[in-house]
Amino acid sequence: MKHFLLVLFALFAFSISAAEKPNLVLIFIDDMGYGDIGPFGSKLNRTPNLDRMAKEGRKLTSFYAAPVCSASRAQLMTGCYAPRVGVPGVFFPAGRNGLNPKEHTVADYLKELGYSTMCVGKWHLGDQREFLPTRHGFDGYFGIPYSNDMGRTATANGKRVHPLMRDEKVTELLEDEGQRRVTREYTEEAVKFIETNAKADKNFFLYLPHTAMHVPLFPHPDFMGKSKNGTYGDWVEEVDWSVGQILKTLERLKIEKDTLVLFTSDNGPWASKGKAGGVSGPLRGSKGCTLEGGVREPTIAWWPGTIPAGTSSTEMISAMDLHPTFARMVGKSMPTDRVIDGKDIAPILLGKPNARTPHDRFFYQQGGRLAAVRSGNWKLMVKGELYNLHSDLAEKKNVAQAHP
């Protein structure tokens, strides 16, 4: 009888948690620097909606991605270091490679549990049919499947064009100037997806990987010339507007307390582009390298009533952790037939007292090879440099000789 009651209690507890599964919104920016938004120190770019997210949510100030686009997205989707799943760097259009369809992505797991899943924006894990989002757990896809500088020349007019896709079909070939529509159209598509699922009272996972802030820059005409930071600032402010539309939609539908929204970036800013690229703020380095500015991302988590407002965490976590964390939140165990490098970071994400990183080390990968490793406050570069990130966040003082 005692055993029966324990089982009954466990089933009852599970039914409660199942009824309280959160909706999940993941906003993933392309090439945004650590210092490009107000909550992380920007004085040039106006980001009132992201400021609000930070005020009402939680900043994650030691959140890592990868140095380049495809590797970063592979880690996010699979919970594994990119080289482990065969993604050492960047995929190019019409290539034979992409994320292996046999990988089980975070969207696969959520879909198995009844979530509606949608990818809106830049995919960049292979543009051939077998690699598209719809083959990796997403019910639908809308966006440009790779970076916005990878367009091809159209023979009819000699201009560069970019495929705007709906699920597995190209619906339109956008010329460069047509890209000024994409942030707005991505946002409208995302809002429609949220509304449809809220009306059906169905849990959803929205993955919104923006084309912005990748060079070339294409803010909407409504934002052109409006910032104090040139075209780059214009597009940052349009991205902030997009974030505001998502938050307002959740509140209008009265599901904001049932929804976790996470904002982050895929890698550091493209600093070599000058004013067309972002800034790393207090960090050294940028896109393509494994200095902190290349891989540490401006990250904010927002979930009213669950995540404590106005808080922050310096604990070492990464985009790889989102896969196992989201799975755990919705009651799904991780597979045992493969190595998953990410860990459950829900205690950190949700602001639990004394929550600590589950990682004793983090490996920085570049071009499929090990470039550095961090353990605690110490960061050791393969080339022999050693930095204490607690006292030297800008990595200016190599202390290898003092700490052999």
Side-chain angles (χ1 to χ4, degrees):
M1 182 66 177
K2 182 178 179 181
H3 176 71
F4 173 78
L5 290 174
L6 287 173
V7 172
L8 189 64
F9 175 79
L11 289 172
F12 177 70
F14 176 78
S15 67
I16 293 176
S17 63
E20 296 175 350
K21 292 175 185 175
N23 303 309
L24 300 164
V25 177
L26 177 54
I27 304 172
F28 207 55
I29 310 303
D30 197 1
D31 292 2
M32 175 172 274
Y34 195 83
D36 280 335
I37 60 175
F40 284 77
S42 178
K43 303 299 182 184
L44 287 175
N45 305 321
R46 294 170 298 187
T47 55
N49 294 294
L50 289 166
D51 294 346
R52 177 196 167 190
M53 271 190 77
K55 184 178 180 180
E56 297 177 359
R58 186 168 176 81
K59 290 199 304 180
L60 306 170
T61 63
S62 193
F63 186 96
Y64 288 97
V68 292
C69 304
S70 298
S72 186
R73 291 153 207 272
Q75 294 186 169
L76 177 69
M77 285 291 112
T78 67
C80 299
Y81 286 108
R84 190 185 296 284
V85 293
V87 189
V90 177
F91 292 129
F92 289 88
R96 295 182 178 180
N97 296 322
L99 184 63
N100 192 326
K102 293 181 180 180
E103 293 296 340
H104 220 50
T105 69
V106 61
D108 284 317
Y109 281 89
L110 294 170
K111 185 175 181 177
E112 288 171 1
L113 290 177
Y115 273 66
S116 291
T117 56
M118 183 72 181
C119 175
V120 179
K122 173 187 170 180
W123 174 240
H124 213 173
L125 287 171
D127 65 324
Q128 300 306 295
R129 182 166 294 176
E130 63 267 32
F131 304 128
L132 291 173
T134 46
R135 304 297 178 100
H136 281 293
F138 289 97
D139 295 317
Y141 173 58
F142 176 76
I144 300 173
Y146 38 72
S147 295
N148 69 337
D149 64 343
M150 293 182 174
R152 291 193 163 194
T153 301
T155 55
N157 57 16
K159 293 185 178 181
R160 187 169 58 176
V161 293
H162 315 267
L164 183 63
M165 300 191 69
R166 168 78 63 182
D167 298 330
E168 298 183 359
K169 294 182 179 180
V170 175
T171 60
E172 185 178 358
L173 292 175
L174 292 176
E175 294 181 0
D176 277 351
E177 283 299 308
Q179 289 195 59
R180 297 197 184 280
R181 298 163 24 204
V182 297
T183 303
R184 179 157 298 186
E185 292 190 7
Y186 289 172
T187 304
E188 292 170 350
E189 191 74 22
V191 167
K192 180 181 177 181
F193 174 74
I194 294 171
E195 290 174 338
T196 298
N197 286 282
K199 183 177 180 180
D201 195 26
K202 188 170 184 179
N203 281 117
F204 60 85
F205 170 46
L206 169 63
Y207 175 44
L208 180 54
H210 276 284
T211 292
M213 301 295 303
H214 201 284
V215 175
L217 307 175
F218 289 110
H220 190 276
D222 289 353
F223 291 88
M224 291 170 60
K226 299 296 177 64
S227 78
K228 297 183 294 183
N229 192 26
T231 306
Y232 188 88
D234 296 344
W235 217 6
V236 170
E237 294 186 8
E238 186 179 7
V239 164
D240 181 79
W241 164 85
S242 175
V243 171
Q245 295 302 299
I246 300 298
L247 302 185
K248 289 174 185 176
T249 299
L250 296 172
E251 292 173 325
R252 171 169 55 83
L253 298 172
K254 302 186 187 305
I255 57 172
E256 75 277 11
K257 292 186 177 181
D258 304 317
T259 307
L260 166 63
V261 180
L262 192 135
F263 176 97
T264 190
S265 179
D266 66 341
N267 47 246
W270 206 344
S272 64
K273 297 295 183 179
K275 291 184 178 180
V279 297
S280 299
L283 310 178
R284 184 161 71 101
S286 56
K287 173 180 179 173
C289 80
T290 53
L291 290 167
E292 293 297 287
V295 290
R296 188 186 290 220
E297 311 306 329
T299 306
I300 308 170
W302 183 86
W303 186 357
T306 298
I307 292 178
T311 59
S312 65
S313 172
T314 61
E315 293 298 307
M316 179 177 67
I317 54 179
S318 82
M320 292 185 299
D321 298 323
L322 297 181
H323 185 335
T325 301
F326 288 174
R328 179 74 178 272
M329 282 181 174
V330 302
K332 185 77 174 179
S333 59
M334 297 304 293
T336 58
D337 64 341
R338 66 195 69 192
V339 175
I340 301 294
D341 299 297
K343 308 290 184 184
D344 179 11
I345 58 165
I348 296 171
L349 203 63
L350 304 181
K352 301 300 182 183
N354 302 314
R356 295 290 180 263
T357 177
H359 298 282
D360 62 353
R361 68 204 69 184
F362 173 79
F363 296 104
Y364 301 70
Q365 305 282 330
Q366 188 169 19
R369 297 182 178 182
L370 180 66
V373 60
R374 176 181 170 182
S375 182
N377 292 321
W378 295 105
K379 180 178 179 181
L380 177 66
M381 310 293 284
V382 167
K383 58 187 178 181
E385 297 173 5
L386 179 69
Y387 298 101
N388 185 323
L389 296 178
H390 176 72
S391 58
D392 181 25
L393 186 59
E395 298 172 280
K396 292 182 177 180
K397 186 178 180 181
N398 177 10
V399 296
Q401 289 187 347
H403 299 276

